[in-house]
Amino acid sequence: MERARRSMDMRVVKTRRAIHEALIGLLAEDDGRDITPREVADAALISKKTFLAHYGSVSEVIDEMEDEAAEGVEQVLESEGAITTEEELAHMIELIASMAQDKATTLGALLGTRVREDVVARLQSLLRERIACTLEREGRDGSGLLPDFLAGGLISAFRKWLREGAGITPQDLSHKAATLARAIWSAGQEGAHEA
């Protein structure tokens, strides 16, 4: 009984993985049209009925994949703990940039598709939350403009790197962005002390 359930679970995992990979391929074509369940099913080499047994719509698959990408980034953020030094920030940025470059990760795969901006917006929200938590741990206001400004600046640099980044490694990106973020963070601390 247990063996039959495990093999059934593996079939579900394999089918969902095939659907994800097929959808990423279709999204990467970026012709702007709506993708139908039939097109995803055909690309995944399954029936439309099988697709619909797993997902109610194509947007449901996209949402699930965006959630997976966000969970991967959240795991990186959680593993890094409180980020209080420039080196810690650089390391965190490097890990996320490496994930973004790796097309085998959900984050990397989605960033090569037309849903890229939705994924980047989720990434910005996660960074903003992490920066706000770090500020609050330091006894500062995490609800002010500083978390938004830093997260927005980091994401702006990240977007530029995704568009034009040839020749810039994740390490280069992380060190440049961390240096700028630390300067802004420090200026924000000085401004808070003066007020």
Side-chain angles (χ1 to χ4, degrees):
M1 178 76 169
E2 179 65 27
R3 186 174 183 188
R5 195 178 79 201
R6 236 187 346 233
S7 72
M8 175 66 111
D9 293 345
M10 286 307 296
R11 285 194 307 248
V12 170
V13 169
K14 286 179 182 180
T15 301
R16 285 178 169 255
R17 184 179 308 137
I19 290 169
H20 286 201
E21 290 172 0
L23 183 55
I24 285 170
L26 292 168
L27 288 168
E29 292 173 3
D30 196 24
D31 59 9
R33 66 178 170 73
D34 287 336
I35 297 169
T36 66
R38 163 66 62 208
E39 290 171 305
V40 176
D42 289 348
L45 303 175
I46 60 172
S47 69
K48 180 180 174 184
K49 183 178 176 182
T50 300
F51 174 91
L52 293 172
H54 290 272
Y55 297 101
S57 66
V58 173
S59 64
E60 188 178 319
V61 183
I62 292 170
D63 290 344
E64 182 178 271
M65 290 169 44
E66 287 178 359
D67 289 344
E68 282 180 26
E71 286 171 18
V73 171
E74 285 174 344
Q75 287 174 357
V76 167
L77 295 174
E78 290 301 317
S79 72
E80 293 303 297
I83 298 167
T84 57
T85 68
E86 187 175 321
E87 293 78 26
E88 291 168 344
L89 180 60
H91 183 67
M92 186 244 347
I93 294 168
E94 183 178 338
L95 291 173
I96 294 171
S98 293
M99 285 174 61
Q101 269 190 332
D102 185 356
K103 299 299 183 208
T105 67
T106 305
L107 177 64
L110 287 175
L111 288 174
T113 72
R114 65 180 165 163
V115 298
R116 166 193 197 143
E117 287 305 310
D118 294 339
V119 175
V120 172
R122 293 247 337 239
L123 181 58
Q124 182 170 345
S125 177
L126 291 170
L127 287 173
R128 192 237 172 268
E129 288 172 23
R130 174 50 52 129
I131 291 166
C133 287
T134 300
L135 287 170
E136 289 168 3
R137 276 192 210 113
E138 293 180 351
R140 298 181 54 211
D141 182 12
S143 64
L145 290 176
L146 187 56
D148 292 316
F149 190 78
L150 284 170
L154 290 170
I155 290 301
S156 179
F158 188 71
R159 279 189 171 112
K160 182 175 174 77
W161 176 70
L162 287 171
R163 271 192 322 269
E164 306 166 7
I168 298 176
T169 66
Q171 295 83 7
D172 292 339
L173 171 69
S174 69
H175 290 292
K176 288 176 183 179
T179 300
L180 290 170
R182 179 48 62 188
I184 293 166
W185 188 293
S186 296
Q189 285 178 322
E190 290 170 13
H193 293 302
E194 291 173 8

